[in-house]
Amino acid sequence: MRSLAFPALLAAGVIGIACGGGSSHQNNAITPPGSSANVQAIVVNSGPAGNYANGVFTSVTVCVPSSSTCQTINGVLVDTGSFGLRLLSSAGGGALTMSLPQQNGSNGNPVGECAEFVSGFTWGPVVTADVQIAGEKASAVPVQVIDPSFSSVPQSCKSSGVPEQDTLQQLGANGILGVGPFLQDCGGACTQSGSANPGIYFECASGSCQVAQEALAQQVSNPVGGFATDNNGVIVELPSSLGAAASLSGSLVFGIGTESNNGMGSVTVFPINANGDFTTSYSGQSYPGFIDSGSNALFFLNTAQTSLPSCTNDDSFYCPSSTANLSARDSSGSASATVQFSVANANSLFGNSADFVFGTLAGPNPGTFDWGLPFFFGRNVFTAIESHSTPAGQGPFWAF
């Protein structure tokens, strides 16, 4: 998922929780594999709301810092296009029931965040937690709790032009695990005062919230960057899935070139700019491109540019009369690679209410290439974190 505000907040795309039909399937708990401390099980299925198309989920354990008071949350969306952990509170129908220490501003008032995505915004307090995934741990990490009962949503957040997604039915997940290529969800802009501050963090008192400056160390942050080891990035590993299926299992591997199981091999490395983009070329034209497991389809260009018609009942997706086999070229500096992909009729894909995995699901995104979850099927996709060293140089970069 990519932010509406600016590049270093959540990154990109469309969640699309209602695209998979009206099934009532529920997300099963995910048991982490025991073979390696840096490997976490992930699964593409219908999610905890039972209606998520192409969502990849995992489990995350959060603890009161420096204590044994912990809770494991299943059904958390794995998002290489955003930065930081966000957990849906039980007040919104989510799974988080435990209390975590509230972060307070310099004046002692609680800090909240309005995290804006292309598809919606999440609102709630910033808390502190120890975050455990597989055998890895990040201590005292700023985390957003998505909580519709927390203070009053600021008017600037309400008027952002996207809907509030503070309940399970709206979000389709019990949280979002942002493991993208940047460390904080806002960066230097949120440390500024006045008009230079984009208005993402707030200090709240007596039901009223005011824009606040937020130091980098206090911002919601990518927990992988806080691991003691294996902290320079992640690899999403998912098998091929060209047709529709009910579920698909894979692995989230922590670290790049830090263990025997996360070497880079012969992958091509694509450095990215401050927006998190490289270049994607299609039909002789170049566009910004990015890789995002939090987007549930390949979202690119529009009907005028692709000749692919949108679905008449939902223009979020393409509905060609027959499957289109296409190609585009990703490049950055001297690195380049051709990507072959297919686009099927979304209405046909959604015809079986038992299926939630779609390798050929795509939709329009004018002027941009969002390589969403179908891009990950059959690939090992590397996300290197900014300012962290890897065998291929310092992040941020994508590699596949």
Side-chain angles (χ1 to χ4, degrees):
M1 300 175 216
R2 175 159 291 192
S3 163
L4 284 173
F6 51 92
L9 186 59
L10 316 169
V14 178
I15 291 180
I17 64 171
C19 327
S23 170
S24 60
H25 294 277
Q26 294 297 311
N27 186 50
N28 294 323
I30 302 167
T31 303
S35 59
S36 179
N38 70 324
V39 180
Q40 174 77 359
I42 58 178
V43 62
V44 183
N45 64 11
S46 62
N51 62 352
Y52 207 117
N54 273 358
V56 56
F57 299 95
T58 196
S59 301
V60 176
T61 297
V62 290
C63 305
V64 174
S66 303
S67 82
S68 59
T69 303
C70 302
Q71 183 181 356
T72 297
I73 309 296
N74 298 310
V76 177
L77 187 75
V78 177
D79 186 11
T80 62
S82 72
F83 328 106
L85 178 62
R86 306 172 195 283
L87 296 173
L88 182 62
S89 71
S90 56
L96 182 67
T97 57
M98 69 180 298
S99 296
L100 293 164
Q102 169 70 53
Q103 184 186 119
N104 294 317
S106 57
N107 59 6
N109 293 327
V111 173
E113 183 183 22
C114 174
E116 296 179 21
F117 298 82
V118 169
S119 56
F121 70 84
T122 60
W123 168 249
V126 178
V127 301
T128 305
D130 290 348
V131 179
Q132 300 175 9
I133 315 171
E136 310 281 2
K137 178 181 176 180
S139 299
V141 178
V143 171
Q144 183 189 29
V145 175
I146 305 169
D147 185 353
S149 68
F150 174 73
S151 196
S152 297
V153 180
Q155 185 57 42
S156 60
C157 195
K158 290 182 180 180
S159 61
S160 61
V162 293
E164 189 170 355
Q165 294 184 326
D166 293 344
T167 70
L168 179 59
Q169 289 303 314
Q170 293 166 337
L171 191 65
N174 281 324
I176 302 170
L177 174 62
V179 290
F182 297 106
L183 286 169
Q184 289 87 25
D185 70 351
C186 181
C190 282
T191 69
Q192 304 299 309
S193 61
S195 61
N197 190 309
I200 290 167
Y201 286 94
F202 296 82
E203 292 187 17
C204 302
S206 302
S208 177
C209 299
Q210 304 298 321
V211 174
Q213 295 174 254
E214 191 79 347
L216 292 178
Q218 302 301 111
Q219 293 179 22
V220 173
S221 58
N222 187 336
V224 177
F227 291 162
T229 58
D230 307 317
N231 56 19
N232 61 354
V234 301
I235 313 167
V236 175
E237 301 180 349
L238 286 166
S240 297
S241 180
L242 293 178
S247 65
L248 188 71
S249 296
S251 297
L252 178 64
V253 181
F254 298 112
I256 297 174
T258 59
E259 310 283 353
S260 61
N261 64 355
N262 59 19
M264 299 194 69
S266 59
V267 299
T268 301
V269 174
F270 297 86
I272 56 178
N273 61 24
N275 294 330
D277 296 334
F278 47 52
T279 298
T280 298
S281 300
Y282 178 84
S283 293
Q285 298 293 320
S286 296
Y287 305 95
F290 54 91
I291 300 174
D292 180 12
S293 66
S295 293
N296 67 340
L298 305 175
F299 290 104
F300 66 103
L301 309 184
N302 57 27
T303 296
Q305 297 164 307
T306 65
S307 298
L308 298 170
S310 297
C311 304
T312 56
N313 61 327
D314 184 354
D315 61 7
S316 298
F317 298 105
Y318 285 128
C319 278
S321 57
S322 61
T323 299
N325 298 311
L326 307 172
S327 68
R329 191 160 188 84
D330 292 333
S331 62
S332 178
S334 61
S336 65
T338 297
V339 179
Q340 308 287 342
F341 61 102
S342 298
V343 178
N345 185 295
N347 284 338
S348 297
L349 292 175
F350 298 152
N352 184 348
S353 62
D355 290 333
F356 295 95
V357 181
F358 309 105
T360 54
L361 183 63
N365 187 16
T368 305
F369 259 79
D370 174 356
W371 295 104
L373 193 67
F375 176 85
F376 289 75
F377 296 161
R379 289 185 173 91
N380 290 350
V381 180
F382 294 69
T383 303
I385 298 174
E386 64 174 325
S387 74
H388 285 59
S389 296
T390 78
Q394 195 171 81
F397 63 75
W398 308 105
F400 58 89

